[in-house]
Structure formats: structure tokens, C-alpha cells
Amino acid sequence: AQRVTQPEKLLSVFKGAPVELKCNYSYSGSPELFWYVQYSRQRLQLLLRHISRESIKGFTADLNKGETSFHLKKPFAQEEDSAMYYCALSRSSGSARQLTFGSGTQLTVLP
Amino acid sequence: DAGVIQSPRHEVTEMGQEVTLRCKPISGHDYLFWYRQTMMRGLELLIYFNNNVPIDDSGMPEDRFSAKMPNASFSTLKIQPSEPRDSAVYFCASSAGRNNEQFFGPGTRLTVL
């Protein structure tokens, strides 16, 4: 069975500091990994996916199959980055994108 | 498009009562997902539909939970009878096609007293 672990429930950094939100996964197949974000009073929305290899709002995430990790990084955090972040894993097969979510990390960027 | 619509946004009920949560997916989306979010277990997939047909309900906690999708624009998640441990935020999401992004609704916060 697949599992996603986000070890930090809460993370605080100062504006301008680097930030890294950790995500580790376990899955016997070939995974597809995502980061979702939920800003205050807004819906859960996709931030980025590993297959896209893109940077969104300054965030990047690299899939490390050796370490089974998909950490989310940003070199200079902004106050508007404060939100709840969820790492999610999708089975590579099946009839739809079934997502398994981590427990989430609440990021607070302090002024 | 208003996105995925869920109602009610908040529901407070007493143990033993029937609860019905509603979802309207984005028009044209053929997949619909129901999730539950709790502090203890995070976000869990309960059930999903493809073209109104339930495909996988292995995440439904027990027989008290049931979900239907009578047409492409409406789905319900029903809990009967409700229990305090069912208190959670229930999200509905929809997507177009097998491998596309899931769009989430605002969620329904359920409190069972």
C-alpha cells in the first residue's frame, strides 16, 4: 500500500529565508507525486507535479527515488506563501488518479 | 465557472441523525471524488465515480456511509446514522479525464454532537 509522510505539522520561517517542506513516500510501483496548497479560506489547489518539472510561485520539488522523497523548496519565502501544504502520491496505474495525501504542513512565513 | 460547488458549507447535527452532503462537479468533468479530512487521518479518499458509476468505494468507512451520483452534475454523500467520530471536513473534487488535475470544492464542515 502507498503511504505519504510529512513529518512537520507546523513550520515557521522568516520572510526571505529559504524554506523546505519535507515529503517522503512509500510505494512499490512507479509513483507520481504532487504538491497541493490550501491558502486561508481558499480551496485546495494543485501547486505542482513532479512530471512537469516546473517552478510555480518560486517553488520547486524534485523526485528522489533513491531517498523516496519529494521535498518542496523555495529559496526566498514570502508572507503570501503562508498556507497548508499537502504532498500527494498517485498510483501509476488504475482507472483514475487516486491520490493518497500526507497529513499536511502548515507553513507560516513571518515578517 | 464557479468551480466545484458543495452544500452545505457547515452542518451541525446530533448523533443518530441522517446527514446528506451535496456536490456539483465542474461541468464536463467525468470523474468525481469524495474525500474526508480529519486531524488524525488527514485527507482520505472515500469513493470516486467515473461517468456517474462508482468505481472504487474501498475508502468508505462503513455501511453507514453511502454515495450516489444520479447524473453528471450532482452527487450526494449520506451518513445514516451519524456518529460524533464522523465529524470532519468532507471535500468533493472533480476532474476531466483519467489523468488530469483534480479540482476541489470548498468542503463541508460536519459536526456531529
Side-chain angles (χ1 to χ4, degrees):
Chain A
Q2 61 268 29
R3 185 182 180 93
V4 178
T5 302
Q6 293 180 249
E8 304 141 327
K9 279 196 173 297
L10 303 171
L11 181 63
S12 294
V13 299
F14 285 101
K15 176 182 174 181
V19 62
E20 180 179 69
L21 291 86
K22 292 184 168 49
C23 172
N24 289 90
Y25 67 89
S26 62
Y27 181 53
S28 58
S30 181
E32 295 185 51
L33 276 297
F34 306 82
W35 277 99
Y36 277 78
V37 61
Q38 188 172 26
Y39 300 101
S40 179
R41 297 189 180 87
Q42 294 188 29
R43 302 166 185 228
L44 194 64
Q45 57 187 287
L46 179 66
L47 180 62
L48 54 80
R49 62 187 84 186
H50 90 269
I51 58 173
S52 299
R53 293 185 169 273
E54 57 191 346
S55 174
I56 303 293
K57 298 183 179 183
F59 284 97
T60 59
D62 292 318
L63 179 61
N64 186 323
K65 292 186 177 181
E67 297 182 358
T68 60
S69 69
F70 187 57
H71 303 327
L72 183 68
K73 301 177 184 179
K74 185 170 182 176
F76 307 103
Q78 303 299 314
E79 289 182 68
E80 56 264 30
D81 297 328
S82 296
M84 190 72 167
Y85 291 81
Y86 292 94
C87 182
L89 178 152
S90 169
R91 301 177 197 173
S92 59
S93 61
S95 62
R97 179 148 288 168
Q98 296 187 57
L99 296 173
T100 299
F101 285 87
S103 55
T105 298
Q106 177 68 49
L107 173 66
T108 301
V109 181
L110 304 167
Chain B
D1 195 330
V4 175
I5 299 172
Q6 290 186 247
S7 65
R9 294 293 306 277
H10 302 273
E11 176 80 27
V12 180
T13 190
E14 293 187 343
M15 184 174 64
Q17 296 298 307
E18 177 180 295
V19 175
T20 300
L21 312 181
R22 297 172 176 79
C23 174
K24 182 182 186 322
I26 293 172
S27 177
H29 283 191
D30 55 348
Y31 283 88
L32 184 140
F33 306 81
W34 280 102
Y35 292 89
R36 179 173 66 175
Q37 183 183 42
T38 61
M39 288 293 290
M40 293 295 293
R41 301 172 68 91
L43 265 167
E44 304 171 280
L45 176 66
L46 300 177
I47 185 172
Y48 78 91
F49 296 82
N50 176 217
N51 291 323
N52 314 339
V53 177
I55 303 301
D56 186 346
D57 65 354
S58 59
M60 295 285 263
E62 50 196 271
D63 291 346
R64 296 184 298 105
F65 286 68
S66 62
K68 295 181 180 179
M69 193 165 186
N71 57 61
S73 59
F74 183 65
S75 176
T76 60
L77 178 67
K78 186 176 292 186
I79 309 172
Q80 167 62 21
S82 59
E83 297 182 2
R85 60 191 168 121
D86 301 331
S87 298
V89 180
Y90 292 81
F91 289 99
C92 177
S94 69
S95 69
R98 168 185 299 197
N99 290 314
N100 287 338
E101 175 184 350
Q102 291 183 27
F103 292 83
F104 283 77
T108 295
R109 182 174 295 276
L110 173 64
T111 302
V112 183
L113 303 174

